[in-house]
Amino acid sequence: MTTNETRDITITRILNAPVQTLWNLWTDPAAVTQWWGPEDYTSPSARIDLREGGAYLFAMQAPAEQGGLVSYTGGSYAKIAPMERLEFTQNLTDAEGVLLPEEALPEGFSQNVYTIVEFRDVNGLTELTITEKGWTRSLMSVFSYAGMHQSLDKVAALLDQVRAA
């Protein structure tokens, strides 16, 4: 069911790495491809123009048993405070970063979700808070919430691999 009401989604997680490491994972395209997307999805490419007004485009590929479809998330950076905060829009786009038309969106999907990622040092660890503003109350907002948790699980696993190496 979809309504016209909107909601914000907030996720906070403490990760076992310094802020610099988490900042790099969010701002380095090669690093983004290591964790973007829910469990069992991969990210075959990412582009980032890290400046206010600059654009980003992240690819996400479904596993083969789910059809292997590649989808794209893109938007532009509204505010960048290095090691503290990223603010940007999120949209479903085509491979060139052009917003998908309304009829091509999954039911209940919200375009132009304003996203704030906050990085806070906690004694050498990082408290990461992600807030997504403007989701319609729909199943897609639930999928987004679950998908971001799964992406952060991938970040945590990646950090564990780096520490073990």
Side-chain angles (χ1 to χ4, degrees):
M1 180 176 144
T2 301
T3 71
N4 289 331
E5 294 178 42
T6 62
R7 63 183 288 203
D8 298 344
I9 296 172
T10 300
I11 297 170
T12 299
R13 175 101 51 111
I14 294 181
L15 294 156
N16 189 5
V19 168
Q20 175 73 58
T21 300
L22 272 298
W23 179 263
N24 291 344
L25 286 171
W26 276 87
T27 59
D28 176 352
V32 168
T33 63
Q34 297 178 55
W35 63 268
W36 182 256
E39 182 179 9
D40 299 325
Y41 282 62
T42 60
S43 179
S45 67
R47 294 190 324 229
I48 295 174
D49 179 6
L50 190 63
R51 60 185 173 85
E52 291 179 0
Y56 72 92
L57 183 64
F58 301 164
M60 180 175 73
Q61 184 166 22
E65 60 272 17
Q66 294 180 21
L69 178 70
V70 178
S71 58
Y72 298 88
T73 300
S76 62
Y77 293 102
K79 182 175 181 181
I80 299 169
M83 309 300 163
E84 295 177 12
R85 187 180 188 96
L86 291 170
E87 295 184 20
F88 53 90
T89 57
Q90 283 195 73
N91 300 285
L92 283 183
T93 73
D94 66 15
E96 302 305 316
V98 177
L99 272 60
L100 294 182
E102 181 83 23
E103 63 273 12
L105 297 175
E107 181 181 345
F109 192 89
S110 300
Q111 292 283 54
N112 289 310
V113 171
Y114 195 83
T115 304
I116 302 166
V117 182
E118 299 168 282
F119 305 79
R120 188 171 76 85
D121 177 71
V122 181
N123 299 320
L125 308 178
T126 302
E127 180 182 84
L128 191 69
T129 301
I130 303 166
T131 304
E132 297 181 345
K133 296 180 171 285
W135 275 104
T136 56
R137 292 186 176 274
S138 68
L139 188 56
M140 290 308 300
S141 68
V142 175
F143 289 159
S144 178
Y145 182 78
M148 185 52 71
H149 271 292
Q150 291 174 357
S151 289
L152 292 178
D153 290 346
K154 291 163 76 175
V155 168
L158 181 63
L159 294 172
D160 287 345
Q161 289 173 356
V162 169
R163 274 192 305 283

